């Protein structure tokens, strides 16, 4: 007991094996968190790129059609690190709807696209400890005139 109290009161600064193992463990956990954080930032950039591409598609086609859905499916297949990716377009739609269009946006009408995906923050072993909703937004104006 006296020897233990002398070791605890010692100012020599000796490092023992336990403190070294704990320090390395904490460093590895911190490294895993940083790597996952960069993965989520990369996913956000990919979603921003997808939102920009969707804005261009909707601007030129004048609304949502089969080509828009096909482009969205392709862009989602290229995105890594996100699941359950969905998009929503907020705009005033033209009625009656032109043939071949799911929703038509008249020339000069602004629209807003929101793309959402779920990413997980969980360490090296993908424990999925924290679910994060990553959101990308884009805005544009229709360039197609509907008669």
């Amino acid at each position: 007991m006296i020897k233990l109290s002398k070791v605890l009161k010692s100012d020599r600064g000796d490092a023992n094996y336990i403190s070294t193992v704990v320090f390395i463990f904490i460093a590895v956990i911190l490294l895993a968190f940083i790597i996952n954080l960069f993965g989520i930032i990369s996913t956000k950039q990919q979603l921003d790129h997808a939102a920009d591409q969707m804005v261009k598609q909707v601007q030129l086609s004048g609304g949502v059609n089969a080509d828009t859905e096909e482009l969205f499916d392709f862009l989602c297949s290229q995105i890594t690190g996100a699941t359950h990716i969905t998009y929503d377009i907020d705009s005033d739609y033209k009625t009656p709807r032109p043939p071949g269009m799911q929703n038509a946006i008249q020339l000069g009408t602004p629209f807003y696209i929101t793309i959402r995906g779920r990413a997980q923050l969980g360490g090296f072993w993908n424990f999925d400890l924290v679910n994060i909703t990553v959101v990308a937004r884009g805005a544009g104006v229709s360039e197609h005139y509907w008669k």
Side-chain angles (χ1 to χ4, degrees):
M1 190 64 138
I2 297 172
K3 190 174 184 179
L4 181 61
S5 81
K6 282 184 180 181
V7 170
L8 291 175
K9 292 179 183 178
S10 173
D11 291 334
R12 289 181 38 183
D14 291 338
N16 57 22
Y17 294 114
I18 295 172
S19 64
T20 303
V21 168
V22 169
F23 175 74
I24 290 173
F25 180 73
I26 291 172
V28 167
I29 296 297
L30 185 62
L31 181 66
F33 175 76
I34 291 170
I35 288 172
N36 272 2
L37 196 59
F38 282 126
I40 291 173
I41 292 170
S42 174
T43 301
K44 169 69 170 140
Q45 289 176 336
Q46 291 173 0
L47 285 175
D48 285 339
H49 174 73
D52 290 341
Q53 294 299 315
M54 291 289 290
V55 165
K56 290 177 187 176
Q57 169 66 26
V58 172
Q59 277 180 332
L60 295 176
S61 67
V64 180
N65 57 16
D67 292 336
T68 309
E69 298 294 331
E70 187 177 318
L71 175 66
F72 181 72
D73 291 339
F74 172 75
L75 291 171
C76 287
S77 71
Q78 302 297 314
I79 295 174
T80 57
T83 58
H84 306 294
I85 303 171
T86 59
Y87 79 96
D88 181 40
I89 299 176
D90 182 27
S91 181
D92 293 329
Y93 297 110
K94 180 187 179 317
T95 54
R97 185 172 48 205
M101 296 297 289
Q102 294 172 3
N103 289 315
I105 302 172
Q106 189 58 273
L107 176 71
T109 304
F111 61 91
Y112 307 94
I113 293 180
T114 304
I115 299 179
R116 289 183 175 83
R118 293 182 52 134
Q120 287 81 24
L121 186 62
F124 282 126
W125 302 279
N126 293 327
F127 287 132
D128 300 341
L129 298 175
V130 179
N131 289 321
I132 299 171
T133 301
V134 183
V135 179
R137 291 187 173 93
V141 176
S142 176
E143 297 178 0
H144 195 280
Y145 177 72
W146 297 101
K147 293 181 183 183

